[in-house]
Amino acid sequence: MTNERDTDEASTDRHPRVPDGGAAGADDVALDPWGSATVSDYRKLFEQFGIERFEDVLPEVPNPHYLMRRGVIFGHRDYRALTDAMHAGEPFAALSGFMPTGDPHIGHKLVFDEIIWHQERGGDAYALIADLEAHSARGLTWDEIDEHTRDYVLSLLALGFDPDEGTLYRQSTNREVQDLAFELGIEANFSELQAIYDFDGETDVSHMQSVVTQMADILYPQLEEPKPTVIPVGPDQDPHVRLARDLATRMRYFGVTEAYASFEVDDAERALLEEAYDTLRERHGADERIRCRDAAAVLEGEREPGATDVAATTLDGTVTKLREAGKEPLRPRVRIFDRRATEEAFEALIEAVDGEKRVYENHLDAFELDRDEAEELARQVELDHGGHGFRLPSSIYHRFMTGLTGGKMSSSVPASHISLLDDPEVGYEKVEAATTGGRETAEKQRELGGRADECPVYELYAYLLAGDDDEFATRVYEECVGGERLCGGCKEQAADLMAEFLADHQDKREEWAEQLEEVDIELESDRVR
């Protein structure tokens, strides 16, 4: 279950007993894939960037991961495409990449777990090492990258990734990804990358090229066949997801939309046409033909004298188009338009559409297909004529983990994170030294309760140490905010659990180290050092 976090730090009341995911970081929403900002108010992401609330789709997820149940995974784009595929037993995939710039830590474990969970649900799982990005955007040498690559792969395997059923690769050794990146680059331009990533005249070309390579990574699972694909990321990576969705659309031969007349409209105008059509259909019945001029008269009645805002301008524009169309019938239809299809593909599309249709120079209107049927038909024609037929990639977003010292968990600040390579005793000591959300004294803690929502140690329980045991995570939370749990004992328990986790994880890493040569991934680059 998920609930919004109490952000009133000045309050001296006890927090509501809601086991939320944990604390947030900096003060503003800044989605920079290479920056260091965190997001203090995740609610702004729903409003500003169109990320949907994961709690809305959670009931549709079969046996959801505890990160989903506890609200650590808080948002998504188009994840229902994945849940629909799971329920229907149809193919789906999950992919995420890891930039090998330091030791893998418990923040990375969130993404490892998300990939592994989707694999366990029958999905095609992909995990990649973003070594081209590490080299171009962060300046790491290939020797450094090789060392970190091995560490990331071992931890992923130790946590449960099945290399026989999944795919592991490095960007630098995957020629299919590089070829796809070249094709995607034709659909992108510098102005666009500048607007999305704030690139400027000092940005090197390799850095820009690494962005397009990441777009190819995101679409790579669909090269053999189009299928729903989810990319688990932190919200700072959302610019990559949005660009990948745009490029997937631009690579399609055909687009599909709904229409009511022969002329072109945007979404806002289409909504007005639908409103006018429904009004006239209700007024005159299903048998009477509705004409564009009739719809113009309906919409004219909604005009507000003197209004000049966007809605008024859209209304005026729609009325003008309807008037010019005059006696043309206004009828719902599905429109399939040519984006970048070959002439042969467009002709094949015309032949493939059964029933009543109207063919224009750059689009076709079908009157006996619904939108989903038209989408699948257009995709199949594209595939038959050498296109990819990409589906828009989906995404899920998890909260950032707060660093053990407060602020963001950072690979470059060892005390702020637990490395998956840390000795268990070191992990124990880091947890014991961690900042907490406790009160100034034990007496105040018992009186007012602890601030679990602002506590990095409670996050360790919610994100990792409680595992699949929701009751345990909830009990820790309620004991804290209820004043029964004091920070000293809480940290000691967390430290013990962390040491146990690290010991077990490293035992499994050692087991996999003996089998690593059998895993299909190149651990050593032959690139110039």
Side-chain angles (χ1 to χ4, degrees):
M1 112 179 144
T2 58
N3 292 272
E4 292 183 353
R5 203 168 58 83
D6 183 354
T7 57
D8 182 4
E9 296 182 3
S11 172
T12 57
D13 296 329
R14 289 181 176 177
H15 287 271
R17 298 190 177 193
V18 180
D20 189 54
D27 293 332
D28 52 13
V29 178
L31 300 185
D32 177 3
W34 299 286
S36 59
T38 56
V39 180
S40 63
D41 188 349
Y42 290 89
R43 290 169 295 189
K44 293 179 181 177
L45 297 173
F46 304 130
E47 301 165 6
Q48 295 183 25
F49 299 102
I51 293 174
E52 300 176 74
R53 297 174 185 275
F54 195 84
E55 62 187 291
D56 294 338
V57 76
L58 182 61
E60 302 167 37
V61 180
N63 191 20
H65 192 277
Y66 71 79
L67 294 172
M68 298 173 175
R69 300 195 304 263
R70 294 177 196 160
V72 177
I73 295 173
F74 70 91
H76 76 99
R77 286 189 190 277
D78 200 21
Y79 192 68
R80 283 187 177 84
L82 275 292
T83 61
D84 288 347
M86 291 179 199
H87 287 295
E90 296 174 348
F92 65 94
L95 172 144
S96 202
F98 307 93
M99 186 159 56
T101 57
D103 291 350
H105 57 63
I106 57 174
H108 298 120
K109 181 182 179 294
L110 297 180
V111 184
F112 290 154
D113 286 345
E114 292 169 68
I115 293 292
I116 293 165
W117 181 87
H118 284 91
Q119 184 180 52
E120 292 171 345
R121 297 300 169 280
D124 298 325
Y126 295 76
L128 67 106
I129 301 298
D131 55 355
L132 292 178
E133 183 184 8
H135 187 59
S136 63
R138 294 292 177 84
L140 268 73
T141 67
W142 290 102
D143 283 332
E144 291 171 324
I145 290 169
D146 288 349
E147 179 183 353
H148 295 316
T149 293
R150 185 178 188 277
D151 288 332
Y152 275 84
V153 170
L154 278 177
S155 281
L156 178 64
L157 296 170
L159 289 168
F161 184 90
D162 185 342
D164 295 327
E165 296 296 326
T167 300
L168 292 168
Y169 71 90
R170 295 173 65 143
Q171 289 174 327
S172 63
T173 60
N174 190 321
R175 185 54 191 262
E176 287 183 303
V177 164
Q178 294 175 42
D179 288 346
L180 178 57
F182 183 84
E183 297 299 326
L184 293 174
I186 297 172
E187 299 297 324
N189 59 59
F190 174 73
S191 296
E192 182 173 35
L193 298 185
Q194 183 181 40
I196 296 172
Y197 301 109
D198 200 27
F199 288 162
D200 58 28
E202 299 301 315
T203 305
D204 63 73
V205 174
S206 291
H207 191 172
M208 289 185 279
Q209 185 179 0
S210 77
V211 170
V212 184
T213 303
Q214 289 175 79
M215 302 304 100
D217 289 324
I218 290 172
L219 296 175
Y220 177 60
Q222 299 192 58
L223 277 185
E224 289 189 6
E225 64 170 331
K227 54 179 171 282
T229 302
V230 65
I231 315 300
V233 290
D236 58 337
Q237 301 298 303
D238 185 57
H240 290 327
V241 174
R242 282 181 278 140
L243 178 57
R245 287 169 65 90
D246 285 345
L247 291 177
T249 298
R250 293 175 212 169
M251 291 290 287
R252 292 296 308 277
Y253 280 12
F254 305 105
V256 178
T257 188
E258 295 170 334
Y260 285 85
S262 61
F263 52 82
E264 296 296 327
V265 294
D266 59 26
D267 290 342
E269 293 169 329
R270 188 178 301 109
L272 289 173
L273 293 182
E274 181 180 9
E275 175 189 334
Y277 177 84
D278 290 343
T279 298
L280 289 166
R281 177 62 66 212
E282 184 177 346
R283 183 182 301 171
H284 299 297
D287 296 331
E288 185 169 335
R289 175 164 288 190
I290 297 172
R291 299 190 183 278
C292 289
R293 66 185 183 185
D294 303 325
V298 169
L299 294 179
E300 281 179 322
E302 298 182 6
R303 279 177 163 169
E304 296 182 14
T308 58
D309 58 11
V310 173
T313 302
T314 300
L315 180 61
D316 287 343
T318 307
V319 168
T320 298
K321 290 179 180 180
L322 288 167
R323 279 179 180 164
E324 291 173 350
K327 293 184 179 182
E328 178 186 336
L330 191 74
R331 297 175 58 194
R333 78 283 303 268
V334 173
R335 175 161 296 159
I336 308 174
F337 57 91
D338 182 355
R339 274 205 180 96
R340 59 197 300 272
T342 62
E343 184 176 341
E344 293 78 8
F346 190 67
E347 290 297 325
L349 175 72
I350 296 171
E351 291 296 320
V353 174
D354 293 327
E356 184 181 358
K357 57 192 170 188
R358 299 283 185 275
V359 179
Y360 301 87
E361 182 178 358
N362 292 311
H363 71 264
L364 176 154
D365 287 354
F367 294 86
E368 298 177 24
L369 290 177
D370 64 29
R371 183 163 184 169
D372 289 342
E373 291 170 335
E375 288 274 10
E376 288 308 310
L377 180 63
R379 178 174 285 109
Q380 189 56 55
V381 171
E382 178 178 342
L383 291 170
D384 291 343
H385 288 79
H388 295 295
F390 290 131
R391 295 180 182 273
L392 296 185
S394 305
S395 49
I396 51 178
Y397 302 89
H398 54 258
R399 296 172 184 262
F400 294 111
M401 290 193 75
T402 307
L404 298 179
T405 54
K408 185 183 178 182
M409 183 172 290
S410 172
S411 297
S412 61
V413 183
S416 76
H417 71 271
I418 306 290
S419 166
L420 295 176
L421 280 58
D422 276 342
D423 184 276
E425 291 185 10
V426 172
Y428 181 98
E429 292 169 358
K430 285 183 178 181
V431 175
E432 280 280 22
T435 300
T436 73
R439 304 290 179 175
E440 294 80 1
T441 65
E443 290 73 19
K444 284 190 175 181
Q445 180 94 345
R446 293 189 181 96
E447 176 189 354
L448 300 174
R451 292 166 290 203
D453 295 301
E454 302 169 20
C455 181
V457 176
Y458 172 69
E459 282 191 4
L460 294 178
Y461 285 101
Y463 288 42
L464 169 63
L465 301 178
D468 203 44
D469 191 344
D470 287 345
E471 290 185 6
F472 176 40
T474 301
R475 186 168 67 251
V476 171
Y477 184 93
E478 292 186 340
E479 288 176 355
C480 174
V481 300
E484 304 165 49
R485 176 176 283 255
L486 301 182
C487 293
C490 186
K491 286 206 290 187
E492 184 174 359
Q493 183 181 25
D496 284 335
L497 291 171
M498 183 60 73
E500 291 175 14
F501 164 75
L502 289 172
D504 178 67
H505 180 68
Q506 287 164 22
D507 284 345
K508 291 175 180 175
R509 279 176 55 93
E510 290 179 9
E511 292 174 11
W512 272 108
E514 297 175 1
Q515 309 171 56
L516 203 51
E517 291 183 359
E518 303 171 17
V519 177
D520 186 18
I521 185 171
E522 296 183 37
L523 296 175
E524 295 185 5
S525 173
D526 58 2
R527 297 206 165 209
V528 175
R529 296 292 157 172

